[in-house]
Amino acid sequence: FNDILPQLKLKSDKALQWVEKARNIVPHKKTRKNADVVKVQFNDMKNMLEEVSDMNIDLKEKDHMTLVVETAEDWIGRVKEALNDNEESTINSLQHLLFEAESIPVNMNELLLLQCEIKA
C-alpha cells in the first residue's frame, strides 16, 4: 500500500493541475457573443487534450475540451474546402463560416485566411 500511495498522489496532483489549466482556457458560461472570452490557440487546446489522454483519467473538462476540438476541426475542414473551391464558394457561404467561428472558443489560423479571402 505504501508503494501505491505516492503514485496515486502524483497522478492526483497532475490531474488537478491539468483541470486548473483547462478551467482557465475553456469558457464556462455562454456570453452573448463571447466578447469577453479570451480565446486560446487551437493547437494549445489540442495539446492539452493529448496531455490528459496520456493520464488515462476521466474528467468533465476533458469531455468539454474534446467537443471544442472536434467542432474546430470540423470547421477548419469546411473552411479549407471552401477556400479550395474558390469559384463555387459564394461570399455568403464564406461569411456564414466566419459567423460560425465566433462561437468556437479557440483561435484558428484558418480564420485569418477566411477573413483575407472575404476582403479580397
Side-chain angles (χ1 to χ4, degrees):
F1 181 73
N2 287 339
D3 294 341
I4 296 174
L5 193 56
Q7 292 174 354
L8 287 175
K9 177 145 178 41
L10 180 63
K11 188 172 184 177
S12 174
D13 289 346
K14 283 180 72 175
L16 288 172
Q17 289 171 357
W18 186 91
V19 167
E20 186 64 31
K21 284 190 332 189
R23 288 181 177 164
N24 287 332
I25 67 168
V26 177
H28 302 295
K29 61 181 180 176
K30 298 267 184 194
T31 58
R32 189 160 270 187
K33 284 193 175 184
N34 289 335
D36 58 346
V37 173
V38 176
K39 293 183 176 187
V40 68
Q41 287 299 112
F42 171 70
N43 287 333
D44 292 344
M45 185 175 286
K46 198 170 177 178
N47 290 339
M48 278 195 67
L49 195 54
E50 289 173 9
E51 180 182 322
V52 77
S53 296
D54 292 342
M55 290 184 214
N56 199 23
I57 53 177
D58 190 28
L59 302 165
K60 66 181 179 180
E61 291 84 1
K62 176 185 172 186
D63 295 338
H64 181 72
M65 198 174 284
T66 299
L67 181 62
V68 170
V69 167
E70 288 173 352
T71 301
E73 287 176 332
D74 176 65
W75 183 87
I76 289 168
R78 289 185 291 125
V79 167
K80 287 180 178 179
E81 185 178 309
L83 293 177
N84 288 336
D85 295 336
N86 285 343
E87 297 176 15
E88 294 194 20
S89 296
T90 65
I91 192 73
N92 285 342
S93 65
L94 296 178
Q95 287 176 330
H96 180 72
L97 285 167
L98 187 61
F99 178 74
E100 278 184 50
E102 291 179 15
S103 66
I104 303 173
V106 290
N107 285 323
M108 301 163 283
N109 295 334
E110 290 76 9
L111 178 58
L112 295 173
L113 294 173
L114 181 60
Q115 290 169 332
C116 289
E117 183 68 25
I118 290 172
K119 287 180 183 178

